[in-house]
């Protein structure tokens, strides 16, 4: 998080050949979804704010807190109190949330930088981890979307650090999760903030029938982590801890990868292992197996260039050697793609997701100036890099309607209204959180457009034409044109087919590709199968997904795993459960919400009951 | 060819186009032009047009159905497989046509022509159905690579699709009711899945919104009735048409293979972009959907009439009519295209501002159909739009396939509609059964009891059943 000019970086960014004036930018190949911002109408009002300590952070946790399988959310406020929102959206309709009391006192609810959902104690109710300036909190989930502080019950001290990153994993054979906390600047040290990064912390659960996190394992050295992720980088079945660090404050630091053998000593990969030094203003991590070779690629947000790392050909199972493919894939996202501000941009939350359901993975990067850094773009819209069918990415943030230029931080791409299309919530520093509903693709004409007038004159006979019905919501009976509308009409310019609200001025949109929502369930420990890998196969194509808690920027999601299927109307799902065991194949039809319980022969479908 | 040009001319002349910006007139094709498609048709324009536009659409559909597509139209798919999901080949096809993996026909009517265009085909017109993903190429008739299938008749298919849509809507409504009941009662709710008198098993819903699909019978787990193909795996004529155009002709519909889903307008790399427009798919759908339903012969001799009457009674008595239901009631006669239940890759109603709507009530053949006391048209299809296990270890003749198709076990097929059966020999999914008596005896699995009863009938009664079935004809074939 620099405070000083980075003129060289800016110059380099401007010199990149991808932006040569005579070279047309890549265009998306699939649908460009249209988002509409409706935080206020949705009842969401939260501002992440505060002094220097809250220049970073600003997270949102998305999860189901009341058992209705609809994603609710908790949004950090910095110096403002945390807010909890229960999802009251109708299927396919406008987004609606109800603020709920979270049960925390004023002190506990303040100074929250980030939030991650996690089922810690195995009772089937999702718990919540709050990253704070000061004592972190483990909140035990209670019925009815309530929480209670469980630090004491679970033997967790919470520390006093400035915590900015989190990740969790269930180590082999463990009943409770291992928790990793990433800490930022140690403000108590002499010379702070320069070169005074705090150590990070690892907490393994103690033995017993309840979670106990009394033993802290320091991860030394810490380099001012802003995001971390347990990742099975070499598909060994043994997740390592990937940490992205902010070079602004460390001295001699770099990006980190820690070996975390189950129950064993935690050690950092070093030069002898092939780990190469990389120094960036690391702010967010996301992983996705882009080439479906079993080893994930990583998107690392920074100031200026985003990195997109893939294993180099020199890598092997013991040697994590990476090379950057962001440029060749069109994913550098190094400066604003719209507006007049040509200074480098500042990336935060990163997430891979398929926002247009075309089966090509997309990359979202929340953007926003740290505060008022003069050498970085002030108008810095978030990126929506749509995956192209050739494996590269193309920017669509402006056309999609998310280029509002708020100071983005954490975010979540979640299908809040269960219409099969991912919506977006973005936490903004010093500004209200933005909530974007995905309306689908702008409707394209299918041939020359006739005038919207009733046919007259020599028209031989009335034509039975019914207005286009609302798209059938998943699970709801789809409408058929009623037989009793023998009226002569031309197509009416209905404003919002596909949006569920014909009385607004929203543009006409329609559905995009097919999709699946998938939830995994295990008995007892690790109920939501954190660490599982989902392989969705359609034809010759496999679309991988990971169930992970960590990464992004101070934000996490637990719930439906979204998969775009393109034109496939059915798919086979296989699950590699967190302990490495593969499931049999589950055959499912598209456009369904599917729950897979470990050990059950069949997947079940889920439908919202309204 | 001349007919197609005429149809297009009528369509372009429809009054609804009067207010459109006048496009530059396309250069008149030379009389010897070897293209058959012509300018793409606008779905939106047809939807906004009047009856004349619909009539022109149907006429164009017939011309397209008969058209022998050429490479100038985009026939052939050198770099695409026959798969229904756009799937690229690893190397170009060596030959433009192949009787096994396709493309295997010049025109739709190449296989659907016996005894009239739009009907079935004899054994020589069989096709080899494979998923087209792994082992997309095969030069063997060995059933480990493909399922060999005989062509179905398309007469009456518009009414069949309307029946399927209504049944799907019924089943979805039952699902919603079960979910509501479970939620209200706080415990699981089990309801029979029934539509138009056909049972599709039971559904069990739970208070939390979960649904147990293991009680479903003869229908996919998404409760969409898919009435088309021997297997019963295609939702709509539109989906069937798009699939078939690619498989058999290498003609790729833009709504499935276009840039929106593949990133290129020429996915099969044959040099022709955007080969078949949504409007032209609608034309083909419209023609197929409005093909007159098969009928019964009325020119029977007294002996045949008497035997047929007896045979129809026996047909019901031994249980044939439990699956081959003489008629299913239809509420609505308005056929919309695109339809409501297709998935992405096949246009559906939600994709368009207004669908094309064809009111079947104005079709002469519909006026002749009986109605029940509720005013519903009784569609005499002799089917139930349900899949059944039709083969077993003792008698595999109707399950003579090795490959599953689209999640459906190899021994299960949708009940063949018997209307027109007297005009559509040979019989069986593979078209390898030459007589009606043989194909009845081939029924096993869930039909075992009925087959046993048929076999036990006196010879005169078995002959009567044949006499009855021989009255179910495609009337046009009698002309």
């Amino acid at each position: 998080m620099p405070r000083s000019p980075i003129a060289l970086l800016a110059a380099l960014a401007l010199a990149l050949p991808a932006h040569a004036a005579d070279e047309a930018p890549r265009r998306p190949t699939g649908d460009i979804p249209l988002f509409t911002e409706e935080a206020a109408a949705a009842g969401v009002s939260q501002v992440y704010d505060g002094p220097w300590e809250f220049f970073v952070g600003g997270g949102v946790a998305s999860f189901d807190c009341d058992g209705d399988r609809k994603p609710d959310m908790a949004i950090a406020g910095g110096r403002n109190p945390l807010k909890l929102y229960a999802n009251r959206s109708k299927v396919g309709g406008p987004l609606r949330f109800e603020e709920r009391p979270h049960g925390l006192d004023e002190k506990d609810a303040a100074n929250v930088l980030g939030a991650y959902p996690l089922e810690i104690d195995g009772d089937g109710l999702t718990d919540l981890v709050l990253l704070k300036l000061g004592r972190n909190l483990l909140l035990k989930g209670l019925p009815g979307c309530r929480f209670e502080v469980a630090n004491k019950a679970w033997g967790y001290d919470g520390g006093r650090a400035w915590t900015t990153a989190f990740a969790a994993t269930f180590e082999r054979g463990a009943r409770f999760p291992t928790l990793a906390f990433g800490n930022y600047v140690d403000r108590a040290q002499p010379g702070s903030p320069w070169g005074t990064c705090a150590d990070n912390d690892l907490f393994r659960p103690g033995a017993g029938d309840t979670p106990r996190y009394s033993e802290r394992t320091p991860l030394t050295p810490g380099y001012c982590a802003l995001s971390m992720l347990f990742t099975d980088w070499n598909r060994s079945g043994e997740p390592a801890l990937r940490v992205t660090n902010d070079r602004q404050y460390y001295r001699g630091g770099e990006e980190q990868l820690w070996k975390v053998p189950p129950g064993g000593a935690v050690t950092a990969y070093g030069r002898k292992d092939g780990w190469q030094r990389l120094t960036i203003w690391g702010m967010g991590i996301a992983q996705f197996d882009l080439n479906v070779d079993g080893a994930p690629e990583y998107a690392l947000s920074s100031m200026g260039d985003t990195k997109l790392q893939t294993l180099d050909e020199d890598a092997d199972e013991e040697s994590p050697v990476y090379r950057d493919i962001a440029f060749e894939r069109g994913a550098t996202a190094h400066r604003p793609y719209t507006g007049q501000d040509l200074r480098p941009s500042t990336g935060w939350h990163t997430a891979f997701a398929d926002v247009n359901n075309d089966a090509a993975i997309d990359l979202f990067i929340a953007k926003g100036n740290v505060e008022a850094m003069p050498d970085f773009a002030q108008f810095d819209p978030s990126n929506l890099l749509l995956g192209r069918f050739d494996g590269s990415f193309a920017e669509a943030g402006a056309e999609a309607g998310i280029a509002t230029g708020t100071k983005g931080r954490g975010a979540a791409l979640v299908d809040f209204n269960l219409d099969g299309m991912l919506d977006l919530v973005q936490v903004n520093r010093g500004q209200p959180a933005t909530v974007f509903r995905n309306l689908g693709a702008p409707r394209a004409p299918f041939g020359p457009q006739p005038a919207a007038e009733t046919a007259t004159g020599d028209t031989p006979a009335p034509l039975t034409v019914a207005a286009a019905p609302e798209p059938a919501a998943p699970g709801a009976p789809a409408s058929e044109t009623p037989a009793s509308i023998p009226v002569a009409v031309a197509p009416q310019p209905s404003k919002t087919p596909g949006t569920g609200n014909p009385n607004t001025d929203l543009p006409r949109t329609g559905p995009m590709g097919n999709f699946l929502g998938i939830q995994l369930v295990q008995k007892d420990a690790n109920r939501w199968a954190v660490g599982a890998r989902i392989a969705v196969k359609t034809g010759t194509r496999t679309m991988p997904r990971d169930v992970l808690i960590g990464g992004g920027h101070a934000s996490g999601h637990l719930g439906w795993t979204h998969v775009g299927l393109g034109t496939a109307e059915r798919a086979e799902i296989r699950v590699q459960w967190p302990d490495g065991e593969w499931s049999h194949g589950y055959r499912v039809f598209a456009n369904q919400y599917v729950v897979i319980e470990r050990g059950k022969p069949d997947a079940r479908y889920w439908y919202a009951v309204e | 060819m001349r007919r197609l040009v005429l149809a297009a001319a009528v369509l372009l002349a429809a009054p609804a186009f009067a207010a459109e910006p006048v496009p530059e007139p396309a250069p008149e094709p030379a009389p010897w032009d070897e293209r058959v498609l012509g300018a793409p048709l606008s779905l939106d324009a047809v939807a906004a047009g009047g009856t004349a536009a619909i009539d022109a659409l149907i006429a164009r559909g017939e011309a397209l159905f008969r058209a022998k597509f050429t490479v100038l139209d985009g026939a052939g798919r050198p770099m695409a497989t026959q798969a229904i999901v756009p799937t690229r080949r690893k190397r170009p096809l060596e030959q433009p046509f192949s009787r096994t993996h396709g493309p295997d026909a010049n025109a739709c009517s190449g296989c659907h022509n016996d005894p009239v265009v739009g009907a079935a085909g004899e054994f020589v017109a069989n096709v080899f159905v494979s998923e087209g993903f792994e082992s997309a190429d095969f030069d063997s008739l060995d059933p480990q690579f493909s399922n060999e299938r005989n062509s179905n008749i398309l007469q009456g298919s518009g009414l069949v699709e309307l029946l399927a849509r209504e049944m799907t809507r019924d089943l979805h409504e039952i699902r919603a009711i079960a979910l509501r009941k479970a939620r209200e009662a706080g415990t699981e709710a089990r309801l029979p899945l029934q539509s138009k008198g056909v049972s599709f098993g039971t559904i069990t819903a739970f208070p939390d919104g979960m649904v147990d699909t293991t009680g479903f019978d003869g229908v996919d787990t998404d409760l969409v009735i898919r009435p088309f193909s021997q297997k019963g795996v295609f939702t709509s004529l539109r989906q069937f048409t798009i699939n078939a155009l690619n498989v058999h002709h290498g003609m790729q519909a833009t709504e499935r293979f276009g840039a929106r889903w593949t990133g290129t307008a020429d996915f099969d790399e044959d040099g022709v972009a955007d080969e078949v427009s949504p409007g032209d798919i609608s034309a083909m759908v419209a023609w197929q959907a409005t093909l007159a339903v098969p009928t019964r012969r009325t020119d029977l001799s007294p002996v045949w009439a008497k035997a047929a009457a007896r045979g129809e009674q026996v047909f019901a008595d031994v249980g044939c009519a439990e699956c081959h239901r003489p008629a299913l009631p239809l509420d609505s006669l308005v056929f919309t295209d695109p339809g409501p239940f297709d998935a992405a890759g096949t246009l559906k109603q939600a994709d368009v501002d207004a669908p094309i709507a064809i009111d079947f009530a104005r079709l002469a053949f519909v006026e002749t159909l009986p109605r029940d006391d509720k005013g519903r048209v009784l569609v005499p299809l002799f089917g139930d739009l349900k899949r059944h296990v039709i083969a077993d270890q003792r008698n595999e003749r109707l399950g003579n396939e090795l490959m599953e198709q689209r999640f459906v076990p190899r021994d299960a097929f949708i009940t063949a509609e018997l209307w027109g059966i007297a005009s559509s020999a040979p019989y069986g999914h593979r078209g390898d059964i030459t007589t009606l008596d043989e194909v009845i005896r081939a029924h096993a699995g869930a039909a075992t009891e009925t087959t046993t009863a048929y076999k036990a009938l006196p010879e005169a009664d078995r002959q009567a059943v044949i006499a009855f079935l021989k009255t179910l004809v495609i009337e046009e074939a009698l002309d």
Side-chain angles (χ1 to χ4, degrees), chain A residues 558-603:
Chain A
L558 203 52
W560 297 109
T561 296
H562 177 90
V563 184
L565 297 181
T567 61
E569 65 168 353
R570 64 204 162 96
E572 181 172 304
I573 303 172
R574 292 188 73 206
V575 178
Q576 186 176 28
W577 296 97
D579 63 5
E581 182 178 304
W582 278 99
S583 76
H584 63 275
Y586 294 93
R587 295 171 162 186
V588 298
F589 279 84
N591 305 326
Q592 304 290 330
Y593 292 88
V594 177
V595 176
I596 296 175
E597 291 185 54
R598 187 169 186 175
K600 293 283 179 67
D602 298 298

Side-chain angles (χ1 to χ4, degrees), chain A residues 29-31 67-69 356-358 389 441 443-451 453 455-456 458-472 474-484 486 489-494 497 508-514 537-540 560 565-572 586-592 594-595 597 602-610, chain B residues 15-17 19-21 41-52 54 84-87 131-134 162 165-166 169 172-173 175-176 179-180 183 206-214 220-222 226 233-235 239 255-256 259-264 278-279 331-334 336 339-345 347-359 387 404-408:
Chain A
T29 48
D31 286 338
D68 64 0
R69 294 190 190 271
N356 57 359
N357 291 344
D358 64 356
F389 295 112
R443 185 168 288 167
F446 295 99
Q449 290 298 282
E453 295 173 3
T456 56
D458 297 332
T459 306
L463 167 66
T464 301
V465 174
E470 294 299 318
S479 60
E480 172 65 277
T481 304
S484 55
V489 294
Q492 297 301 303
S494 56
R508 295 190 301 198
T509 54
M512 300 184 289
N514 300 316
K537 184 169 180 287
T538 62
T540 56
W560 297 109
L565 297 181
T567 61
E569 65 168 353
R570 64 204 162 96
E572 181 172 304
Y586 294 93
R587 295 171 162 186
V588 298
F589 279 84
N591 305 326
Q592 304 290 330
V594 177
V595 176
E597 291 185 54
D602 298 298
R604 287 186 171 186
Y605 293 163
W606 175 84
Y607 300 92
V609 183
E610 297 179 326
Chain B
F17 288 75
E20 282 187 57
L41 188 62
S42 162
L43 189 155
D44 290 343
V46 175
T51 304
I54 298 290
I84 58 173
V85 177
T87 303
E131 298 261 301
F133 298 123
E134 308 298 340
L162 285 181
R165 292 179 187 179
E166 290 184 357
R169 189 172 52 193
H172 285 187
E173 180 62 22
R175 182 175 65 198
L179 286 162
R180 280 199 298 272
R183 173 63 62 87
F206 297 88
D208 64 354
M210 301 297 295
V211 164
D212 183 353
T213 63
T214 55
D220 289 323
T221 52
D222 59 356
R226 295 181 164 87
V233 290
F234 301 135
T235 305
Q239 185 190 26
E255 66 195 74
R256 174 82 58 77
R260 183 183 187 194
W261 303 117
T262 64
T264 171
D331 292 308
S332 170
L333 286 170
V334 178
T336 54
F341 295 114
D342 275 304
L347 281 186
K348 55 184 176 296
Q349 279 184 12
D351 292 315
V352 299
D353 286 340
I356 295 169
I358 307 173
D359 190 347
R387 290 193 295 256
E404 287 190 343
Q405 185 183 9
R406 315 192 89 196
F407 296 172
V408 182

Side-chain angles (χ1 to χ4, degrees), chain A residues 45-65:
Chain A
S45 174
Q46 172 69 313
V47 175
Y48 180 78
D49 212 348
W52 174 60
E53 288 85 348
F54 302 103
F55 284 10
V56 295
V60 52
S62 161
F63 62 110
D64 174 24
C65 70

Side-chain angles (χ1 to χ4, degrees), chain B residues 187-248:
Chain B
T187 185
E188 68 181 59
R190 179 172 301 174
L191 292 180
L193 281 167
Q194 199 166 63
S195 176
K196 301 187 186 295
V198 179
S199 171
F200 292 94
T202 58
I203 184 170
T204 304
F206 297 88
D208 64 354
M210 301 297 295
V211 164
D212 183 353
T213 63
T214 55
F216 293 8
D217 182 21
V219 63
D220 289 323
T221 52
D222 59 356
L223 293 179
V224 173
I225 300 292
R226 295 181 164 87
F228 297 117
S229 83
Q230 302 269 16
K231 203 71 169 175
V233 290
F234 301 135
T235 305
S236 64
L237 285 168
R238 191 168 192 98
Q239 185 190 26
F240 160 72
T241 301
I242 293 168
N243 293 353
L245 281 169
N246 180 59
V247 172
H248 302 303

Side-chain angles (χ1 to χ4, degrees), chain B residues 380-397:
Chain B
L381 76 169
F382 288 95
D384 60 0
L385 306 189
K386 177 182 175 181
R387 290 193 295 256
H388 302 269
V389 172
I390 199 64
D392 56 33
Q393 287 186 326
R394 286 173 298 180
N395 187 351
E396 289 187 303
R397 193 154 187 199

Side-chain angles (χ1 to χ4, degrees), chain B residues 100-315:
Chain B
T100 51
H101 52 73
D104 55 4
N106 302 104
C108 306
S109 58
C111 296
H112 294 278
N113 59 23
D114 180 21
V116 295
V117 170
E122 64 158 294
F123 188 83
V124 72
N126 279 4
V127 297
F128 300 87
V129 177
S130 75
E131 298 261 301
F133 298 123
E134 308 298 340
S135 305
D137 293 350
F138 52 93
D139 56 8
S140 166
L141 307 188
D142 189 314
Q144 67 176 304
F145 295 104
S146 68
N147 296 324
E148 184 175 357
R149 297 272 176 80
N150 191 229
S151 306
N152 277 336
I153 69 168
L154 295 166
Q155 277 71 15
S157 55
L159 291 174
V160 168
E161 183 165 341
L162 285 181
L163 284 169
R165 292 179 187 179
E166 290 184 357
M167 294 169 87
T168 298
R169 189 172 52 193
D170 287 348
L171 298 182
H172 285 187
E173 180 62 22
I174 292 168
R175 182 175 65 198
I177 292 169
L179 286 162
R180 280 199 298 272
K181 280 179 177 281
R183 173 63 62 87
E184 288 165 8
T187 185
E188 68 181 59
R190 179 172 301 174
L191 292 180
L193 281 167
Q194 199 166 63
S195 176
K196 301 187 186 295
V198 179
S199 171
F200 292 94
T202 58
I203 184 170
T204 304
F206 297 88
D208 64 354
M210 301 297 295
V211 164
D212 183 353
T213 63
T214 55
F216 293 8
D217 182 21
V219 63
D220 289 323
T221 52
D222 59 356
L223 293 179
V224 173
I225 300 292
R226 295 181 164 87
F228 297 117
S229 83
Q230 302 269 16
K231 203 71 169 175
V233 290
F234 301 135
T235 305
S236 64
L237 285 168
R238 191 168 192 98
Q239 185 190 26
F240 160 72
T241 301
I242 293 168
N243 293 353
L245 281 169
N246 180 59
V247 172
H248 302 303
H249 314 305
M251 293 293 296
Q252 301 200 312
T254 56
E255 66 195 74
R256 174 82 58 77
F257 298 91
R260 183 183 187 194
W261 303 117
T262 64
T264 171
D266 182 17
F267 181 72
D268 57 8
E269 296 186 19
D270 61 1
V272 179
D274 293 328
E275 292 171 2
V276 191
S277 70
D280 283 330
I281 296 293
S282 287
M284 300 181 78
V285 168
W287 182 72
Q288 294 172 82
T290 54
L291 285 173
V293 297
T295 58
R296 295 194 188 201
R297 289 188 78 135
T298 55
D299 59 344
L300 306 180
S301 67
V303 173
W304 190 353
K306 184 179 178 185
R310 170 65 185 162
E312 186 166 9
Q313 184 60 50
V314 174
F315 181 85

